[in-house]
Amino acid sequence: MRTQVAIIGAGPAGLLLSHLLHLRGVESVVLETRSREYVEKRVRAGVLEYPTTELLREVGLGERMDAEGLVHHGISLRFDGADHRIGFDDLLGKSITVYGQQEVVKDLIAARLRDGGELRFEVSETTVHDVSSDHPRVTFTDAAGVASELVCDVIAGCDGFHGISRPSIPEAVLTGHEHIYPFAWLGILAKAAPVRDELVYTRSERGFTLYSMRSPEITRLYLQVSPDTDLTEWPDDRIWAELHARMAIDGGEQVNEGPLLEKSVTPMRSFVASPMRHGRLFLAGDAAHIVPPTGAKGMNLAIADVKLLAEAFTALLKDNRSELVESYSDTALRRVWRAEHFSWFMTSMLHLDPAADEFQRQLQLSQLRYTASSTAAATSLAENYVGLPFS
């Protein structure tokens, strides 16, 4: 087999890259270990930044997002027994959209199949070769058990943190920067109507809580827990009781309860791989970086990466210009580190560190009070939250 761009991974990054390349007249093949059904149902992040929604509309992927997505014009920081709203519209004239990652994936798969895109699901034994040459290769076994080889000009590793792309880069070349947080999130998806139309980030003496939603009928909620939490110790009634206790404010609404559709524990960590390129193998999305979900940056960073890659690959393969592929890693990492800092800022400002003393806790409250009362501080938070313009 022969193509111009081999894309490993059919998440939002890989699928959007394939779509962007198609619009520029560049061929690609997408390889994915999971089934189509699995990737279309895989629940992940749901917050789309303003630049992300603008890009999706520009490339013909905004119709269902605009019809079904929930537009949010701000968020609330809940502390000191009260809500403190950060209004994005008031400060910036911009908004975010809550639209699940799985919905973005469905839209992308439909668009690629409509346009004749080659998506290969349920492949195995995927391996990259000759990435230092002008014609790298990807070998894999297809869904029918047939061993195959894909010769290409460049490879995009969009296969997530646990994929094969990043480990394919020699350890002597790649540097990994990692920070592990001393807590995790217990997340639930509940069949319960939201009582709010914007996200609420709560800092309480019992721990952090995030109140969000996926639709007018479904809420998504998170509790700060210990990294070694056993889900069997958290029956449904305990989860609801803790949510009520942490989110309680004088005169405030209660959280609607309902059947739990999903329950999981997610560790909190930050990770950045540098550089994001080795030869003709390029990393994008979670294959290159992980952010704690507090800042809602994960999927948006992946989309920013592949926007850069689509432009760089087009310049290389159609115009024989290499400056954009040469600068890809440096350009992408500038945005990555900004997002890492913002995600760390939101996480440290809202979570209770079990090792923190009273001095540190008072500093945390001071930061929250300043952010909520200062127009300059609130604007900085809003600017980072809704998303900085693409490079």
Side-chain angles (χ1 to χ4, degrees):
M1 299 170 57
R2 181 73 172 85
T3 192
Q4 290 176 289
V5 182
I7 300 173
I8 304 174
L15 292 167
L16 181 59
L17 176 58
S18 182
H19 181 71
L20 295 175
L21 291 172
H22 165 72
L23 296 179
R24 291 165 168 79
V26 177
E27 297 177 348
S28 66
V29 174
V30 180
L31 305 175
E32 169 59 49
T33 60
R34 303 285 192 169
S35 67
R36 176 182 176 182
E37 180 183 21
Y38 179 90
V39 300
E40 288 187 334
K41 291 183 177 180
R42 180 170 47 191
V43 177
R44 291 290 188 272
V47 174
L48 302 183
E49 295 176 349
Y50 183 81
T52 296
T53 59
E54 290 290 284
L55 175 63
L56 293 177
R57 293 186 187 102
E58 287 172 12
V59 299
L61 296 169
E63 182 177 357
R64 201 163 69 91
M65 175 189 71
D66 287 332
E68 301 178 15
L70 305 176
V71 178
H72 289 200
H73 302 285
I75 61 171
S76 284
L77 302 178
R78 183 172 291 187
F79 62 94
D80 285 344
D83 278 342
H84 307 266
R85 185 173 182 271
I86 308 295
F88 302 152
D89 272 357
D90 298 335
L91 295 166
L92 303 172
K94 297 179 180 179
S95 59
I96 59 163
T97 299
V98 174
Y99 188 62
Q101 173 176 307
Q102 71 275 17
E103 305 306 325
V104 175
V105 166
K106 289 175 189 175
D107 295 342
L108 283 162
I109 289 176
R112 293 305 299 121
L113 295 179
R114 178 199 65 211
D115 295 334
E118 187 163 358
L119 311 179
R120 295 199 167 212
F121 294 99
E122 299 181 77
V123 306
S124 59
E125 301 177 323
T126 306
T127 309
V128 300
H129 309 268
D130 304 332
V131 298
S132 296
S133 74
D134 290 341
H135 298 291
R137 299 175 294 121
V138 182
T139 56
F140 62 96
T141 301
D142 67 18
V146 177
S148 303
E149 180 179 80
L150 179 61
V151 180
C152 54
D153 297 303
V154 289
I155 301 171
C158 306
D159 50 345
F161 186 79
H162 299 289
I164 63 96
S165 296
R166 191 181 66 256
S168 299
I169 299 177
E171 291 184 5
V173 173
L174 196 70
T175 300
H177 310 273
E178 187 170 31
H179 177 70
I180 304 297
Y181 295 86
F183 34 74
W185 277 12
L186 192 165
I188 63 168
L189 197 66
K191 191 174 182 181
V195 296
R196 299 286 297 262
D197 56 6
E198 292 179 348
L199 279 68
V200 180
Y201 290 78
T202 300
R203 186 271 188 199
S204 81
E205 293 301 325
R206 302 176 68 96
F208 166 80
T209 301
L210 173 60
Y211 183 91
S212 65
M213 59 292 298
R214 286 293 178 268
S215 75
E217 297 81 32
I218 303 294
T219 48
R220 183 74 160 160
L221 305 105
Y222 299 93
L223 290 167
Q224 175 187 343
V225 294
S226 170
D228 59 358
T229 292
D230 183 350
L231 272 179
T232 61
E233 298 176 359
W234 283 85
D236 295 2
D237 57 351
R238 182 186 177 189
I239 292 174
W240 288 117
E242 191 64 23
L243 284 166
H244 287 302
R246 294 191 191 186
M247 295 192 66
I249 57 174
D250 295 337
E253 72 284 342
Q254 293 296 307
V255 177
N256 281 339
E257 297 186 17
L260 299 193
L261 308 176
E262 181 184 293
K263 185 192 304 186
S264 62
V265 173
T266 303
M268 302 281 281
R269 68 168 177 264
S270 297
F271 176 83
V272 178
S274 176
M276 291 171 58
R277 173 208 177 185
H278 177 58
R280 292 215 168 185
L281 171 61
F282 299 78
L283 304 180
D286 287 359
H289 40 72
I290 297 289
V291 290
T294 325
K297 294 299 167 201
M299 177 167 58
N300 294 289
L301 268 184
I303 287 173
D305 288 346
V306 298
K307 182 179 184 297
L308 284 176
L309 272 185
E311 295 164 355
F313 288 169
T314 302
L316 177 69
L317 301 176
K318 298 195 74 174
D319 302 324
N320 198 30
R321 294 189 294 108
S322 62
E323 66 271 16
L324 294 182
V325 293
E326 297 289 347
S327 64
Y328 164 69
S329 181
D330 289 342
T331 303
L333 284 170
R334 282 196 289 273
R335 189 182 190 92
V336 169
W337 281 114
R338 175 87 295 274
E340 290 283 359
H341 181 272
F342 178 68
S343 299
W344 167 85
F345 166 76
M346 290 286 287
T347 302
S348 61
M349 184 173 65
L350 290 159
H351 291 71
L352 291 187
D353 186 336
D357 57 23
E358 184 59 22
F359 180 83
Q360 292 168 307
R361 294 194 177 199
Q362 288 301 323
L363 289 179
Q364 182 186 53
L365 282 169
S366 176
Q367 180 64 61
L368 276 166
R369 291 165 184 155
Y370 174 65
T371 300
S373 61
S374 163
T375 301
T379 302
S380 177
L381 187 152
E383 182 181 49
N384 282 273
Y385 199 100
V386 303
L388 300 174
F390 290 128
S391 298

